[in-house]
Amino acid sequence: MTDLPLLAVLCALVGALLFAIGSVAQQSAAAGVDEGDALIGELIRSPRWWVGVGGDVGGYVFQATALGLGSVLVVQPLIVSTLLFALPLSARFAGTRMSAKTWLTAIALASSLVVFLTVGNPTEGAATATLRHWALPLALVVGACVVAVVVAGTRVPAGARALLLGAACGGLYGVAVALTKPVIDDLEHGPVAVVTGWEPWALVAAGVAGFYLQQRAFQAGSLAASLPAITIGEPLVASYLGFTVLDERLRVQGAGLVVVAASVAVMIWATIALSRSQAQSTPAAALGDSGTSGAAVSP
């Protein structure tokens, strides 16, 4: 019998819907900017891009609320459901219809989420931890993101560049998500506790850097290259930090561990399959000047 925080689940799902709306709008705007142009300068003149930013802000508010009510291991798998909302939205935007195969893959993703949450039954964990506990896990994640960005800046194909930038974006978003819990805990002790702690500033830095890399990934190459890395990278990194730093655990053993592992594998497979299906189904008329799809998803 599980004891999942239902309000946290609801807030996470609303956040996923808003992320889907925001990402479809942002990808549509970023895909139309040539790589030789000033990306941010072009985007801030696009009303569609601002709609996307509003969706992301609203999504993060609900995501943060969910994290205040439940564990990272509960909230982040649900955020992956952004794809389930974005697929019909992007299909309508691009003037296409979702195939039966796409719907079946979406159902597989939703089912794997349910299995993970009900069988794994994640614990709440600690609200915060000392800098000593954060140092090594954060250094490993940030170091990997820096390496990805450096390699993306070399002479690599556009698809590889989009993949690397997307992976770095997802990693930094995962850091921001994990840091949200201690920041919420600081809020309970007043504004002074917030501004004097290191966590809020690290959260802002990770969020801003991740947001910029997201726009670069959307612009750099195909949707099939950037979308899986962003969508999967965030929950994987956030769950890793929740597990290693905040002492969150899955309340399962024996055969249940096999079931949970299988559900995670299905989530990863379905996320990649759905993103590629979305990219392939977008008609040429919906493609931007840079050759990327006009609709995408990212939490």
Side-chain angles (χ1 to χ4, degrees):
M1 183 70 179
T2 63
D3 53 356
L4 291 175
L6 295 181
L7 188 55
V9 171
L10 178 61
C11 288
L13 290 174
V14 173
L17 173 60
L18 291 173
F19 279 135
I21 294 171
S23 296
V24 167
Q26 286 181 73
Q27 170 68 18
S28 175
V33 180
D34 290 329
E35 289 209 39
D37 295 339
L39 177 61
I40 301 301
E42 292 291 329
L43 290 179
I44 60 176
R45 291 196 289 269
S46 169
R48 181 180 296 167
W49 184 77
W50 283 108
V51 170
V53 171
D56 271 1
V57 171
Y60 180 72
V61 169
F62 277 93
Q63 184 182 32
T65 303
L67 288 167
L69 298 169
S71 72
V72 173
L73 291 178
V74 167
V75 174
Q76 285 312 112
L78 289 168
I79 294 298
V80 177
S81 65
T82 295
L83 281 171
L84 300 179
F85 297 116
L87 284 172
L89 285 174
S90 61
R92 181 176 180 83
F93 179 80
T96 63
R97 298 182 64 181
M98 289 176 60
S99 66
K101 180 180 179 181
T102 300
W103 277 116
L104 288 174
T105 308
I107 292 172
L109 173 59
S111 301
S112 65
L113 288 170
V114 172
V115 170
F116 178 86
L117 293 174
T118 56
V119 177
N121 197 15
T123 64
E124 178 70 18
T128 188
T130 64
L131 179 58
R132 179 173 62 86
H133 287 91
W134 280 99
L136 180 58
L138 273 182
L140 291 174
V141 172
V142 173
C145 292
V146 170
V147 170
V149 172
V150 170
V151 175
T154 63
R155 293 183 178 276
V156 296
R161 185 161 62 253
L163 173 64
L164 290 165
L165 292 172
C169 164
L172 291 175
Y173 276 168
V175 170
V177 166
L179 288 170
T180 298
K181 285 190 72 69
V183 171
I184 292 174
D185 184 66
D186 287 342
L187 285 173
E188 298 178 358
H189 300 89
V192 175
V194 174
V195 298
T196 56
W198 66 270
E199 295 96 338
W201 306 107
L203 187 157
V204 170
V208 171
F211 180 78
Y212 176 73
L213 292 177
Q214 180 185 40
Q215 310 310 310
R216 300 297 304 189
F218 282 165
Q219 180 194 30
S222 71
L223 182 63
S226 63
L227 180 56
I230 297 173
T231 306
I232 297 173
E234 178 183 337
L236 286 182
V237 169
S239 296
Y240 161 72
L241 293 174
F243 190 83
T244 59
V245 180
L246 301 178
D247 199 33
E248 297 180 356
R249 294 291 183 269
L250 297 175
R251 287 173 282 200
V252 63
Q253 56 185 345
L257 287 172
V258 177
V259 174
V260 169
S263 69
V264 172
V266 171
M267 271 192 277
I268 294 173
W269 165 80
T271 300
I272 295 173
L274 285 173
S275 64
R276 287 180 174 172
S277 172
Q278 182 180 341
Q280 293 166 359
S281 65
T282 304
L287 298 179
D289 292 337
S290 63
T292 57
S293 171
V297 184
S298 170

